[in-house]
Coordinates of all heavy atoms in Angstrom, one line a residue:
M157 N 15.4 -7.2 68.0 CA 14.8 -6.6 66.7 C 15.9 -6.5 65.7 O 17.1 -6.1 66.0 CB 14.3 -5.2 67.0 CG 13.7 -4.5 65.8 SD 12.6 -3.1 66.3 CE 13.7 -2.1 67.1
N158 N 15.6 -6.8 64.5 CA 16.5 -6.6 63.4 C 16.2 -5.4 62.5 O 15.1 -4.9 62.5 CB 16.5 -7.9 62.5 CG 17.1 -9.1 63.1 OD1 17.9 -8.9 64.1 ND2 16.8 -10.3 62.7
C159 N 17.2 -5.0 61.7 CA 17.1 -3.9 60.8 C 16.1 -4.2 59.8 O 16.1 -5.2 59.1 CB 18.4 -3.5 60.2 SG 18.3 -2.3 58.9
F160 N 15.1 -3.3 59.6 CA 14.0 -3.4 58.6 C 14.6 -3.4 57.2 O 14.2 -4.1 56.3 CB 13.0 -2.4 58.8 CG 11.8 -2.6 57.9 CD1 10.8 -3.4 58.3 CD2 11.7 -1.8 56.8 CE1 9.7 -3.6 57.4 CE2 10.6 -2.0 55.9 CZ 9.6 -2.9 56.3
D161 N 15.5 -2.4 57.0 CA 16.1 -2.3 55.6 C 17.0 -3.5 55.2 O 17.0 -3.9 54.1 CB 16.8 -1.0 55.5 CG 15.9 0.2 55.5 OD1 14.8 0.1 55.0 OD2 16.3 1.3 55.9
C162 N 17.7 -4.0 56.2 CA 18.5 -5.2 55.9 C 17.7 -6.4 55.6 O 18.0 -7.2 54.8 CB 19.5 -5.5 57.0 SG 20.9 -4.3 57.1
Q163 N 16.5 -6.5 56.3 CA 15.6 -7.6 56.2 C 15.2 -7.7 54.7 O 15.0 -8.7 54.1 CB 14.4 -7.3 57.0 CG 13.5 -8.5 57.3 CD 14.0 -9.4 58.4 OE1 15.0 -9.0 59.1 NE2 13.3 -10.5 58.7
G164 N 15.0 -6.5 54.1 CA 14.6 -6.5 52.7 C 15.7 -7.0 51.7 O 15.4 -7.4 50.6
L165 N 16.9 -7.0 52.2 CA 18.0 -7.5 51.5 C 18.4 -8.9 51.9 O 19.4 -9.5 51.5 CB 19.3 -6.6 51.7 CG 19.1 -5.1 51.3 CD1 20.3 -4.3 51.8 CD2 18.9 -4.9 49.9
D166 N 17.5 -9.5 52.7 CA 17.7 -10.9 53.2 C 19.0 -11.0 54.1 O 19.7 -12.0 54.1 CB 17.8 -11.9 52.0 CG 16.4 -12.4 51.6 OD1 15.5 -12.2 52.4 OD2 16.3 -12.9 50.5
I167 N 19.3 -9.9 54.8 CA 20.4 -9.9 55.7 C 19.8 -9.7 57.1 O 18.9 -8.8 57.3 CB 21.4 -8.8 55.4 CG1 21.8 -8.9 54.0 CG2 22.6 -8.9 56.4 CD1 22.6 -7.7 53.5
A168 N 20.2 -10.4 58.1 CA 19.7 -10.2 59.5 C 20.8 -9.4 60.2 O 21.8 -9.9 60.5 CB 19.4 -11.5 60.1
T169 N 20.5 -8.2 60.5 CA 21.4 -7.3 61.2 C 20.7 -6.7 62.4 O 19.5 -6.3 62.3 CB 21.9 -6.1 60.3 OG1 22.4 -6.7 59.1 CG2 23.0 -5.3 61.0
A170 N 21.3 -6.8 63.5 CA 20.7 -6.2 64.7 C 20.4 -4.7 64.6 O 21.3 -4.0 64.1 CB 21.5 -6.5 66.0
A171 N 19.3 -4.3 65.0 CA 18.9 -2.9 64.9 C 19.6 -2.2 66.1 O 19.7 -2.7 67.2 CB 17.4 -2.7 65.0
V172 N 20.1 -1.0 65.9 CA 20.7 -0.2 66.9 C 19.9 1.1 67.2 O 20.2 1.8 68.2 CB 22.2 0.2 66.6 CG1 23.1 -1.0 66.4 CG2 22.2 1.1 65.3
A173 N 18.9 1.3 66.4 CA 18.1 2.5 66.6 C 16.7 2.3 66.0 O 16.5 1.3 65.3 CB 18.7 3.7 65.9
V174 N 15.8 3.2 66.3 CA 14.4 3.1 65.8 C 14.1 4.4 65.1 O 14.4 5.5 65.6 CB 13.4 2.9 67.0 CG1 12.0 3.0 66.4 CG2 13.7 1.6 67.6
C175 N 13.6 4.3 63.9 CA 13.3 5.5 63.1 C 12.2 6.3 63.8 O 11.2 5.7 64.2 CB 12.8 5.1 61.7 SG 12.3 6.6 60.7
R176 N 12.4 7.6 63.9 CA 11.5 8.4 64.7 C 10.2 8.6 63.9 O 9.1 8.8 64.5 CB 12.1 9.7 64.9 CG 11.3 10.7 65.8 CD 12.0 12.0 65.8 NE 11.0 13.0 66.2 CZ 11.0 13.6 67.4 NH1 12.0 13.4 68.2 NH2 10.1 14.5 67.7
I177 N 10.2 8.4 62.6 CA 9.0 8.7 61.8 C 8.2 7.4 61.6 O 7.0 7.3 61.9 CB 9.4 9.3 60.4 CG1 10.0 10.7 60.7 CG2 8.2 9.4 59.6 CD1 10.4 11.4 59.4
C178 N 8.9 6.4 61.0 CA 8.1 5.2 60.7 C 8.2 4.1 61.7 O 7.4 3.1 61.6 CB 8.5 4.7 59.3 SG 10.2 3.9 59.3
G179 N 9.1 4.2 62.6 CA 9.2 3.2 63.7 C 10.0 2.0 63.4 O 10.0 1.0 64.1
A180 N 10.6 1.9 62.2 CA 11.4 0.8 61.8 C 12.7 0.7 62.6 O 13.3 1.7 62.9 CB 11.7 0.8 60.3
G181 N 13.1 -0.5 62.9 CA 14.4 -0.7 63.5 C 15.4 -0.6 62.4 O 15.3 -1.1 61.3
V182 N 16.5 0.1 62.7 CA 17.6 0.2 61.7 C 19.0 -0.1 62.3 O 19.2 0.2 63.5 CB 17.6 1.7 61.1 CG1 16.5 1.8 60.1 CG2 17.4 2.7 62.2
C183 N 19.8 -0.6 61.5 CA 21.2 -0.9 61.9 C 22.0 0.3 61.8 O 21.6 1.4 61.3 CB 21.8 -2.1 61.1 SG 22.1 -1.6 59.4
H184 N 23.3 0.2 62.2 CA 24.2 1.4 62.1 C 24.4 1.9 60.7 O 24.7 3.1 60.5 CB 25.5 1.2 62.8 CG 26.4 0.2 62.1 ND1 26.1 -1.2 62.2 CD2 27.4 0.3 61.3 CE1 27.0 -1.8 61.4 NE2 27.8 -0.9 60.9
R185 N 24.3 1.0 59.7 CA 24.4 1.5 58.3 C 23.2 2.2 57.8 O 23.3 3.0 56.9 CB 24.8 0.3 57.4 CG 26.2 -0.3 57.6 CD 26.4 -1.4 56.6 NE 26.2 -1.0 55.3 CZ 26.0 -1.8 54.2 NH1 26.1 -3.1 54.5 NH2 25.8 -1.4 53.0
H186 N 22.1 1.8 58.3 CA 20.8 2.4 57.7 C 20.3 3.5 58.6 O 19.3 4.2 58.3 CB 19.8 1.3 57.6 CG 20.1 0.4 56.4 ND1 20.2 -0.9 56.5 CD2 20.3 0.7 55.1 CE1 20.5 -1.4 55.3 NE2 20.5 -0.5 54.4
A187 N 20.9 3.7 59.8 CA 20.4 4.8 60.7 C 21.0 6.1 60.3 O 22.2 6.2 59.9 CB 20.7 4.5 62.1
H188 N 20.3 7.2 60.4 CA 20.8 8.5 60.1 C 20.5 9.4 61.3 O 19.3 9.6 61.6 CB 20.2 9.1 58.8 CG 20.4 8.3 57.6 ND1 21.5 8.6 56.8 CD2 19.8 7.2 57.1 CE1 21.5 7.7 55.8 NE2 20.5 6.9 56.0
A189 N 21.5 9.9 61.9 CA 21.3 10.8 63.1 C 21.3 12.2 62.6 O 22.2 12.6 61.9 CB 22.5 10.6 64.1
Q190 N 20.3 12.9 63.0 CA 20.2 14.3 62.6 C 20.0 15.2 63.8 O 19.3 14.8 64.7 CB 18.9 14.5 61.7 CG 19.1 13.7 60.4 CD 17.9 14.0 59.5 OE1 16.9 14.5 59.9 NE2 18.0 13.7 58.2
P191 N 20.7 16.3 63.8 CA 20.5 17.2 64.9 C 19.1 17.8 64.9 O 18.5 18.1 63.8 CB 21.5 18.3 64.7 CG 21.8 18.3 63.2 CD 21.5 16.9 62.8
Q192 N 18.5 18.0 66.0 CA 17.2 18.7 66.1 C 17.3 19.8 67.1 O 17.5 19.6 68.3 CB 16.1 17.7 66.5 CG 14.7 18.3 66.6 CD 13.6 17.3 66.7 OE1 13.8 16.3 67.3 NE2 12.4 17.6 66.2
V193 N 17.1 21.0 66.6 CA 17.2 22.2 67.4 C 15.9 22.3 68.3 O 14.8 22.1 67.8 CB 17.3 23.5 66.6 CG1 17.3 24.7 67.5 CG2 18.6 23.4 65.8
L194 N 16.1 22.5 69.6 CA 15.0 22.6 70.5 C 14.7 24.1 70.8 O 15.6 24.9 70.8 CB 15.3 21.9 71.8 CG 15.5 20.4 71.6 CD1 15.9 19.8 73.0 CD2 14.4 19.7 71.0
H195 N 13.4 24.4 71.0 CA 13.0 25.7 71.3 C 12.4 25.7 72.7 O 11.8 24.8 73.1 CB 12.1 26.3 70.3 CG 12.6 26.3 68.9 ND1 13.5 27.2 68.5 CD2 12.5 25.5 67.8 CE1 13.9 27.0 67.2 NE2 13.2 25.9 66.8
Q196 N 12.5 26.8 73.3 CA 11.7 27.0 74.6 C 11.2 28.4 74.7 O 11.7 29.4 74.1 CB 12.6 26.7 75.8 CG 13.8 27.8 75.9 CD 14.6 27.5 77.1 OE1 14.2 26.9 78.1 NE2 15.9 27.9 77.1
L197 N 10.0 28.5 75.3 CA 9.4 29.8 75.5 C 10.2 30.6 76.5 O 10.5 30.1 77.6 CB 8.0 29.7 76.0 CG 7.0 29.2 74.9 CD1 5.6 28.9 75.5 CD2 6.8 30.3 73.8
A198 N 10.6 31.8 76.1 CA 11.4 32.7 77.0 C 10.7 34.0 77.0 O 10.9 34.8 76.1 CB 12.8 32.7 76.6
G199 N 10.0 34.4 78.1 CA 9.3 35.7 78.1 C 8.3 35.8 77.0 O 7.4 34.9 76.9
T200 N 8.5 36.8 76.2 CA 7.5 37.0 75.1 C 7.9 36.3 73.8 O 7.2 36.3 72.8 CB 7.3 38.5 74.8 OG1 8.6 39.0 74.5 CG2 6.7 39.2 76.0
G201 N 9.1 35.8 73.8 CA 9.6 35.2 72.5 C 10.0 33.8 72.6 O 9.7 33.1 73.6
L202 N 10.6 33.3 71.6 CA 11.1 31.9 71.5 C 12.6 31.9 71.5 O 13.2 32.6 70.7 CB 10.5 31.3 70.2 CG 10.4 29.8 70.1 CD1 9.4 29.3 71.2 CD2 9.9 29.4 68.7
A203 N 13.2 31.1 72.4 CA 14.6 31.0 72.4 C 15.0 29.6 71.9 O 14.4 28.6 72.2 CB 15.1 31.2 73.9
T204 N 16.1 29.6 71.3 CA 16.7 28.3 70.8 C 17.7 27.8 71.8 O 18.6 28.6 72.3 CB 17.4 28.5 69.4 OG1 16.5 29.1 68.5 CG2 17.9 27.2 68.9
R205 N 17.5 26.6 72.2 CA 18.5 26.0 73.1 C 19.9 25.9 72.5 O 20.0 25.6 71.3 CB 18.0 24.7 73.6 CG 16.8 24.8 74.5 CD 16.4 23.4 75.1 NE 15.2 23.5 76.0 CZ 15.3 23.7 77.3 NH1 16.5 23.7 77.9 NH2 14.3 23.7 78.0
P206 N 20.9 26.1 73.3 CA 22.3 26.1 72.7 C 22.7 24.8 72.1 O 23.5 24.8 71.2 CB 23.1 26.5 73.9 CG 22.3 26.2 75.1 CD 20.9 26.4 74.7
R207 N 22.2 23.7 72.6 CA 22.6 22.4 72.1 C 21.5 21.7 71.4 O 20.4 21.7 71.9 CB 23.1 21.5 73.3 CG 24.4 22.1 73.9 CD 24.9 21.1 75.0 NE 25.2 19.8 74.4 CZ 25.9 18.9 75.1 NH1 26.3 19.2 76.3 NH2 26.2 17.7 74.6
A208 N 21.8 21.1 70.3 CA 20.8 20.4 69.5 C 20.6 19.0 70.1 O 21.5 18.3 70.5 CB 21.2 20.3 68.0
A209 N 19.4 18.5 70.0 CA 19.1 17.2 70.4 C 19.3 16.3 69.2 O 19.8 16.7 68.1 CB 17.6 17.1 70.9
R210 N 19.0 15.0 69.3 CA 19.3 14.1 68.2 C 18.0 13.3 67.9 O 17.2 13.0 68.7 CB 20.4 13.1 68.6 CG 20.7 12.1 67.6 CD 21.8 11.2 68.0 NE 21.6 10.5 69.2 CZ 22.5 9.9 69.9 NH1 23.8 9.9 69.5 NH2 22.2 9.3 71.1
R211 N 17.8 13.1 66.6 CA 16.8 12.2 66.2 C 17.3 11.2 65.2 O 18.2 11.5 64.4 CB 15.6 12.9 65.7 CG 15.8 13.7 64.5 CD 14.7 14.7 64.2 NE 14.8 15.2 62.8 CZ 13.7 15.2 62.0 NH1 12.6 14.7 62.4 NH2 13.9 15.6 60.8
M212 N 16.8 10.0 65.2 CA 17.3 8.9 64.3 C 16.2 8.7 63.3 O 15.0 8.5 63.6 CB 17.5 7.7 65.1 CG 18.4 7.9 66.3 SD 20.1 8.4 65.9 CE 20.7 6.9 65.1
L213 N 16.7 8.6 62.0 CA 15.8 8.3 60.9 C 16.4 7.1 60.1 O 17.6 6.9 60.1 CB 15.6 9.5 60.0 CG 15.0 10.7 60.6 CD1 14.8 11.8 59.5 CD2 13.6 10.4 61.2
C214 N 15.5 6.4 59.4 CA 15.9 5.3 58.5 C 16.2 5.9 57.1 O 16.0 7.1 56.9 CB 14.8 4.3 58.4 SG 13.3 4.8 57.5
D215 N 16.8 5.1 56.2 CA 17.1 5.5 54.9 C 15.9 6.2 54.2 O 16.0 7.3 53.6 CB 17.5 4.3 54.1 CG 19.0 4.2 54.0 OD1 19.7 5.0 54.6 OD2 19.5 3.2 53.4
T216 N 14.8 5.5 54.3 CA 13.6 5.9 53.5 C 13.1 7.3 54.0 O 12.8 8.2 53.2 CB 12.5 4.9 53.7 OG1 12.9 3.6 53.2 CG2 11.2 5.3 52.9
C217 N 13.0 7.5 55.3 CA 12.5 8.7 55.8 C 13.5 9.8 55.7 O 13.1 11.0 55.5 CB 12.1 8.5 57.3 SG 10.7 7.4 57.5
T218 N 14.8 9.5 55.7 CA 15.8 10.6 55.4 C 15.6 11.1 54.0 O 15.6 12.3 53.8 CB 17.2 10.0 55.6 OG1 17.3 9.5 56.9 CG2 18.2 11.1 55.4
A219 N 15.4 10.2 53.1 CA 15.3 10.6 51.7 C 14.0 11.3 51.5 O 13.9 12.3 50.7 CB 15.3 9.3 50.8
A220 N 12.9 10.9 52.2 CA 11.6 11.6 52.0 C 11.7 13.0 52.6 O 11.2 13.9 52.0 CB 10.6 10.8 52.8
E221 N 12.4 13.2 53.7 CA 12.5 14.5 54.3 C 13.4 15.4 53.5 O 13.2 16.6 53.4 CB 13.1 14.4 55.7 CG 12.1 14.0 56.7 CD 12.4 14.7 58.1 OE1 13.5 15.0 58.3 OE2 11.4 14.8 58.8
S222 N 14.4 14.9 52.8 CA 15.3 15.8 52.1 C 14.8 16.0 50.7 O 15.4 16.7 49.9 CB 16.7 15.1 52.0 OG 16.6 13.9 51.3
G223 N 13.6 15.5 50.4 CA 12.9 15.8 49.1 C 13.5 15.0 47.9 O 13.1 15.2 46.8
G224 N 14.4 14.1 48.2 CA 15.0 13.3 47.2 C 14.2 12.1 46.9 O 14.4 11.2 46.3
Ligands
ZN882 ZN1 20.4 -2.2 58.0
ZN883 ZN1 11.7 5.7 58.8

């Protein structure tokens, strides 16, 4: 699979990740790794796990999420 964003620039770059939102393959330049805090039910409340997980997004979805 090649990077979807590079494809638009007529460049063939191997994808190293898949966007979690749109499913596009992205290369290391177009991939954005974001921490994702996980929660778990603990008794009557919600506890936050001490370590954040990771999710990968493409340029487009990163911009959309940040409101830019
Ligand atoms: Zn790319
Ligand atoms: Zn995306």
Side-chain angles (χ1 to χ4, degrees):
M157 180 163 61
N158 287 340
C159 171
F160 184 83
D161 285 333
C162 283
Q163 196 86 1
L165 304 170
D166 276 340
I167 307 169
T169 309
V172 297
V174 174
C175 175
R176 186 188 160 107
I177 296 180
C178 71
V182 282
C183 71
H184 66 284
R185 284 183 57 196
H186 287 121
H188 298 266
Q190 297 183 344
Q192 181 169 30
V193 177
L194 299 179
H195 300 284
Q196 65 177 335
L197 284 172
T200 57
L202 200 62
T204 301
R205 288 185 180 268
R207 295 184 60 167
R210 177 174 61 192
R211 62 191 195 132
M212 306 298 290
L213 298 182
C214 70
D215 263 0
T216 302
C217 293
T218 302
E221 278 214 336
S222 64

